[in-house]
Amino acid sequence: MLKRIVFLLLTALSLQVTAQDLTQTIRGVIKDKEAKFALKGATGAITTLDNKGAVADENGNYIFENVPVGRHTLKFSYIGYEDVVLNNIVVDAGKEVILDVEMQESLSELMEVVVKARRNGAAKNEMAMISARQFSVEEADRYAGSRGEPARMASNFAGVQGADDSRNDIVIRGNSPSGVLWRVEGVTIPNPNHFAIPGTSGGPVSIINNKYLANSDFFTGAFPPEFGNGTAGVFDLKLRNGNNQNHEFMVQFGFLGTEAMAEGPLNKEKGSSYLATYRYANLWMFDKLGVDIGTAAVPKYQDSFLRFNFPQKDGAEFSLWAFGGNSTIDILISDQTIEDRNIFGSNDRDQYYSTRMGVAGLTYSKPIKKKTFLKATLAASTNLQDANHDYVLLNSDAEGNPIVEGDRYSINRLIPLLDYVFDETKLTGVVSVNQKFSARSTLKFGINAELVNFESYDSARVVTPLPELNITPWDTRWLSNKNYLQLQPYLQWKYFLNEKWTMSLGATSFYSSINENSVSAIEPRAGLTYEPGNGNKISFATGLHSQMQSPYTYFYGNNISENNLNYLNPDMGLTKSWHFVAGYNRLVGKNMRLLFETYYQKLFNIPIEVDPTSSFSMVNSGAGFSRIFPNRLVNEGTGRNYGAELTLEKFFSDGFYFLTTASLFDAKYTGADGVLRNTDFNGKYAFNALFAKEIKFKRSALSLGAKFTAVGGRWYGPVDETASAAAQEIVYEDEGRNTLQFAPYRRLDAKIDYKINRRGLTHTIAIDLVNPLGIQNILSLSYAPQPDGTFIKQEYQLGFLPVFFYRVNF
């Protein structure tokens, strides 16, 4: 192995390689889309090359050897099935292309064959009808500003807002990001981000790494019934297998981390494989280079992934997989200068914060008698947050103003202020069955079961420095060790009425033993599509969706006695939402599509405070770095979202690509006070324009990309200065909630990517120029006492952020 690595590195330095020597292999498995059985005898051809064909063997395996590096188009055919065309398949010298293909059975062998091209972003899920898009790993690398993260890439899609440089929260159609469901291999996973805050689904850095993902699906509304316990959207991630014939390696060094990946066969004859990755943060480089990341503290994190795959007889597979990460940050206000920025924490305390997230699973799948496909997964997950805060007591002069010594405030002492630990552990079992009755009719059914343990501890106190120092006793707000069961059975039937009309009917239900109100007996889902021809498609879908709140909101309380807490919201029920979506999709020529969707969402059973003067609603939670501390809640809130979305996309051809999305929407809610208000996320509009150009050379390629984003500002209200001064944090007037709006968010990103191919080796040098114009976008208001006696400070988002990496595949 060492000799091979040395040989490849020496080869990389050689200039005697001709373009004709740079070839690689494309191979994979061809399967039926619904029942997943191998299509023996299916044929494939590389249409960008002459005389380059392949035939699938009895196990569905096909192979193209000696394929020149570059972009190619593949076409697959099989009698009785619709042709599949895959465009812009990138072939590099340093890595084999492993491409599994799923083909849809034709309604009639005599009907004219319809060519289906993956280039249109159609979802992989066979039951998806509308508001669904395939997430392509190759696209994630292409998008400027995405930093290789699935969540940041999704912010470019129509209906999705991404207007927070410090976090990757996914705000879909004005909904709370906590309404987004994350799944991997069919299993619901905890917040997949470093530095995750309880009750949120986003964070500053993703644990998920696109290097081990297969193409996956992203849903923005009216999603199929297999997805329960979510009201806003779904990110359904798929994991890829390692190369089962050749060992391959990757090393990457960049500002966001040093990464390594290895994959290869465990047993070539049996086709078993492994895939492993590891990443360690390099953010200390930003600090050394003086790059602003929003805080003087240096975040530390690492994450990893491991997957073993073991093919069995008759197309069955058994996989063992695991991924996770841990992170820590010490935000020491006591060590910062007056000019230091800190958008990730409070400005009156030292904060020590760490998180840990991990998922491990066993997945078994098997096609049965060419009509039935079974998939089952057993997984365990953990999600932990641990925090400690120390209040920074400043020395003050006779008038109460902080004393400044040089470029720092004078510190009197540190006073312990907060200590909390939240730990959620799950054991999950998932079983799904695809039953194919005919080319027209497919039934999918299954069940998701979760056994959850939530353990929490939180104790805090209040420090008031003026007019004289006062420290309250410790107050326990969380104290729990609870177990509960969650079940979600589902059923969906898809039927092709004829060559133009397709119908989908289904239902799911949800049950949680956390309390008697967390039950949704039946949630119907339905969809209908009409394809009149000439690249036109009209779709409609509707469905009822429900969701539990984050576990930590159920076990928050007061009045502790004998280690028992008086929980404020133990009986909180499910939040529900009706989705109605209609869409029109049209292919414009060979390489462009136009997509229009309009929707209406009716939200109800939203938790709001019992106080009849309160404007609080859980629709505004789920973003930012702060927890919520509501009073008693009841499921009596309502809301409604409606809007229209337009997508114009040119698929990659002739060396360039573009994507333009525009959304107009309105998202409002009603709290206990009965006032119809803007949600925090009601930006009113969102616009994205992306462009990428590839310039080819003899043995290399230069890619240039850019993205412009414009989003309406977040909503807030007038500050209650008296309450803020007493609480030592910003407190808004309840009556004026969301009557004021921050200035619109604007950002331009650029990306430069240079790829060099050598024999058996690919170098990639790239730089993502995030906000190179240094546009100042307002993030929030913070509590920051100043020498002049004021304490309200506008916090701005990140300025110019260059994200550089060098990668080598061999």
Side-chain angles (χ1 to χ4, degrees):
M1 182 64 65
L2 180 60
K3 290 182 178 180
R4 179 173 182 262
I5 294 174
V6 172
F7 170 76
L8 291 172
L9 291 175
L10 291 174
T11 302
L13 301 176
S14 172
L15 300 178
Q16 299 179 355
V17 180
T18 65
Q20 288 75 18
D21 293 325
L22 300 178
T23 63
Q24 192 50 272
T25 298
I26 300 177
R27 58 186 179 85
V29 180
I30 306 175
K31 300 178 180 179
D32 178 90
K33 185 174 183 178
E34 285 83 15
K36 313 298 181 184
F37 61 87
L39 297 180
K40 177 184 177 182
T43 60
I46 302 179
T47 62
T48 46
L49 301 173
D50 295 330
N51 301 319
K52 184 65 81 171
V55 179
D57 64 16
E58 61 181 6
N59 296 316
N61 296 307
Y62 73 93
I63 184 170
F64 298 102
E65 295 181 316
N66 300 320
V67 180
V69 298
R71 293 180 180 270
H72 295 281
T73 298
L74 280 64
K75 180 178 179 180
F76 296 89
S77 302
Y78 190 61
I79 296 175
Y81 282 75
E82 298 172 353
D83 288 357
V84 173
V85 177
L86 304 178
N87 295 274
N88 294 298
I89 304 302
V90 179
V91 178
D92 290 327
K95 185 174 179 58
E96 284 189 345
V97 178
I98 301 177
L99 196 65
D100 292 341
V101 180
E102 294 184 348
M103 303 186 70
Q104 174 74 51
E105 189 174 3
S106 299
L107 297 185
S108 171
E109 295 185 14
L110 300 179
M111 65 176 279
E112 180 182 356
V113 173
V114 179
V115 177
K116 300 291 184 181
R118 284 290 184 206
R119 68 185 178 193
N120 63 6
K124 291 174 64 66
N125 190 296
E126 65 277 1
M127 295 296 176
M129 303 293 285
I130 200 171
S131 295
R133 177 178 177 122
Q134 183 180 145
F135 161 74
S136 166
V137 176
E138 193 267 337
E139 283 182 318
D141 288 333
R142 184 193 309 155
Y143 286 6
S146 69
R147 309 181 202 175
E149 293 188 5
R152 294 187 191 277
M153 174 194 160
S155 67
N156 298 294
F157 298 153
V160 184
Q161 299 178 69
D164 188 340
D165 297 343
S166 63
R167 296 175 58 87
N168 59 15
D169 297 303
I170 302 176
V171 178
I172 301 175
R173 294 176 172 173
N175 288 286
S176 164
S178 61
V180 176
L181 179 69
W182 285 85
R183 282 198 174 175
V184 173
E185 294 294 302
V187 174
T188 301
I189 64 171
N191 186 332
N193 288 280
H194 292 291
F195 309 105
I197 298 296
T200 67
S201 61
V205 182
S206 175
I207 291 174
I208 302 291
N209 191 322
N210 64 14
K211 295 178 178 62
Y212 53 75
L213 293 180
N215 289 348
S216 306
D217 288 339
F218 180 67
F219 300 84
T220 56
F223 24 95
E226 67 184 272
F227 303 111
N229 200 19
T231 55
V234 178
F235 227 135
D236 187 25
L237 301 176
K238 308 296 183 183
L239 304 176
R240 72 176 181 89
N241 295 324
N243 192 322
N244 60 8
Q245 295 299 314
N246 296 290
H247 294 280
E248 295 179 336
F249 305 92
M250 184 280 299
V251 178
Q252 178 173 309
F253 177 80
F255 280 137
L256 294 181
T258 297
E259 303 180 44
M261 181 174 70
E263 59 181 295
L266 295 171
N267 186 311
K268 288 187 178 182
E269 292 184 0
K270 295 183 178 181
S272 57
S273 65
Y274 71 90
L275 173 61
T277 70
Y278 175 77
R279 177 175 64 169
Y280 186 83
N282 288 336
L283 290 178
W284 57 268
M285 294 180 61
F286 285 107
D287 184 55
K288 297 298 183 183
L289 295 174
V291 177
D292 179 22
I293 60 172
T295 176
V298 179
K300 301 176 183 178
Y301 58 84
Q302 55 186 326
D303 46 62
S304 60
F305 171 84
L306 181 65
R307 180 177 174 94
F308 297 106
N309 186 64
F310 303 94
Q312 309 293 306
K313 294 181 179 180
D314 300 322
E317 284 190 352
F318 175 77
S319 297
L320 168 65
W321 51 272
F323 67 92
N326 59 64
S327 50
T328 182
I329 185 171
D330 298 337
I331 304 177
L332 305 181
I333 301 299
S334 57
D335 286 348
Q336 293 184 8
T337 68
I338 296 176
E339 299 299 325
D340 284 336
R341 284 220 307 150
N342 176 37
I343 66 174
F344 295 104
S346 300
N347 290 291
D348 63 350
R349 65 195 66 187
D350 287 353
Q351 297 175 246
Y352 304 87
Y353 188 64
S354 61
T355 65
R356 183 181 70 230
M357 176 268 185
V359 186
L362 299 170
T363 299
Y364 177 77
S365 62
K366 180 177 176 58
I368 304 173
K369 296 181 179 179
K370 294 188 177 183
K371 291 294 183 181
T372 307
F373 177 72
L374 169 70
K375 185 175 182 179
T377 298
L378 180 65
S381 66
T382 181
N383 181 28
L384 179 142
Q385 296 91 28
D386 188 351
N388 291 276
H389 293 183
D390 293 334
Y391 183 84
V392 180
L393 182 64
L394 304 178
N395 288 313
S396 303
D397 59 23
E399 297 179 354
N401 297 319
I403 296 175
V404 177
E405 297 177 346
D407 62 350
R408 301 173 186 271
Y409 290 110
S410 175
I411 307 298
N412 181 297
R413 61 187 167 115
L414 301 178
I415 304 173
L417 188 68
L418 171 69
D419 179 15
Y420 78 76
V421 176
F422 290 162
D423 188 2
E424 181 184 29
T425 304
K426 287 184 182 180
L427 182 64
T428 305
V430 176
V431 178
S432 66
V433 176
N434 281 26
Q435 178 63 51
K436 184 175 180 179
F437 299 110
S438 67
R440 293 181 181 272
S441 178
T442 299
L443 183 71
K444 185 172 186 177
F445 59 93
I447 187 170
N448 303 325
E450 296 178 327
L451 181 62
V452 185
N453 172 262
F454 183 75
E455 189 172 353
S456 63
Y457 168 76
D458 175 289
S459 188
R461 57 184 177 176
V462 177
V463 176
T464 306
L466 297 173
E468 62 182 24
L469 179 63
N470 180 52
I471 305 174
T472 66
W474 288 97
D475 176 28
T476 299
R477 301 176 293 187
W478 276 272
L479 183 63
S480 68
N481 189 350
K482 300 292 183 178
N483 299 295
Y484 56 94
L485 176 68
Q486 296 180 172
L487 298 173
Q488 187 236 327
Y490 64 89
L491 177 74
Q492 182 160 359
W493 177 52
K494 185 175 183 180
Y495 186 74
F496 293 89
L497 300 171
N498 52 42
E499 291 81 0
K500 296 182 179 181
W501 290 92
T502 304
M503 176 183 67
S504 175
L505 297 173
T508 184
S509 61
F510 182 80
Y511 163 81
S512 175
S513 66
I514 196 169
N515 61 48
E516 62 182 11
N517 296 321
S518 295
V519 178
S520 182
I522 184 167
E523 298 175 13
R525 313 277 174 92
L528 186 68
T529 64
Y530 172 62
E531 298 185 65
N534 298 320
N536 294 288
K537 182 178 180 180
I538 300 172
S539 304
F540 172 80
T542 186
L544 176 63
H545 306 263
S546 68
Q547 185 179 29
M548 284 184 58
Q549 298 297 327
S550 172
Y552 96 98
T553 59
Y554 293 83
F555 305 117
Y556 165 65
N558 53 27
N559 300 327
I560 185 171
S561 62
E562 299 180 356
N563 292 327
N564 291 315
L565 203 63
N566 176 31
Y567 297 128
L568 292 177
N569 303 299
D571 300 323
M572 185 166 49
L574 303 176
T575 298
K576 296 188 177 184
S577 178
W578 272 103
H579 290 196
F580 303 90
V581 189
Y584 171 68
N585 189 1
R586 178 178 176 82
L587 296 179
V588 183
K590 293 177 59 177
N591 298 305
M592 192 178 301
R593 74 156 177 168
L594 179 69
L595 174 62
F596 174 80
E597 287 192 357
T598 185
Y599 63 90
Y600 178 84
Q601 298 176 350
K602 179 182 178 182
L603 288 71
F604 57 103
N605 287 7
I606 303 170
I608 57 175
E609 291 184 339
V610 296
D611 181 358
T613 65
S614 172
S615 62
F616 176 87
S617 174
M618 290 294 285
V619 298
N620 296 317
S621 65
F625 291 98
S626 299
R627 294 175 292 161
I628 60 172
F629 303 89
N631 295 314
R632 175 76 174 168
L633 300 174
V634 290
N635 291 92
E636 297 179 0
T638 60
R640 57 106 179 106
N641 306 329
Y642 61 82
E645 303 162 358
L646 185 68
T647 298
L648 179 63
E649 180 176 16
K650 179 189 178 299
F651 313 125
F652 199 100
S653 62
D654 301 322
F656 76 100
Y657 159 93
F658 71 77
L659 170 67
T660 301
T661 63
S663 306
L664 296 175
F665 60 95
D666 190 54
K668 286 187 167 65
Y669 77 98
T670 302
D673 59 3
V675 178
L676 184 65
R677 285 184 169 86
N678 296 294
T679 70
D680 288 8
F681 314 108
N682 189 23
K684 300 289 187 178
Y685 70 91
F687 174 81
N688 289 284
L690 298 92
F691 173 84
K693 171 67 177 177
E694 184 179 79
I695 304 171
K696 294 182 179 180
F697 302 101
K698 189 174 183 179
R699 295 186 300 272
S700 60
L702 175 66
S703 296
L704 304 174
K707 181 187 78 169
F708 176 73
T709 297
V711 180
R714 294 284 175 90
W715 290 84
Y716 69 109
V719 175
D720 186 331
E721 296 192 13
T722 301
S724 298
Q728 305 285 290
E729 63 181 7
I730 294 295
V731 177
Y732 296 98
E733 294 179 2
D734 193 70
E735 184 177 355
R737 182 189 293 267
N738 289 353
T739 57
L740 303 174
Q741 188 178 22
F742 288 132
Y745 176 95
R746 304 283 187 273
R747 200 178 85 190
L748 176 69
D749 300 326
K751 185 171 185 178
I752 304 171
D753 185 309
Y754 185 58
K755 185 182 295 182
I756 306 169
N757 279 295
R758 296 289 185 263
R759 186 180 301 166
L761 194 70
T762 300
H763 302 268
T764 304
I765 303 170
I767 183 167
D768 218 346
L769 303 174
V770 180
N771 195 13
L773 299 182
I775 299 173
Q776 285 194 317
N777 293 296
I778 297 177
L779 175 64
S780 63
L781 302 181
S782 70
Y783 182 85
Q786 302 298 314
D788 62 2
T790 62
F791 57 81
I792 301 176
K793 179 183 178 183
Q794 284 190 347
E795 297 288 356
Y796 290 91
Q797 307 210 38
L798 297 180
F800 174 45
L801 184 67
V803 182
F804 162 88
F805 72 83
Y806 165 71
R807 179 172 64 223
V808 57
N809 291 87
F810 57 97

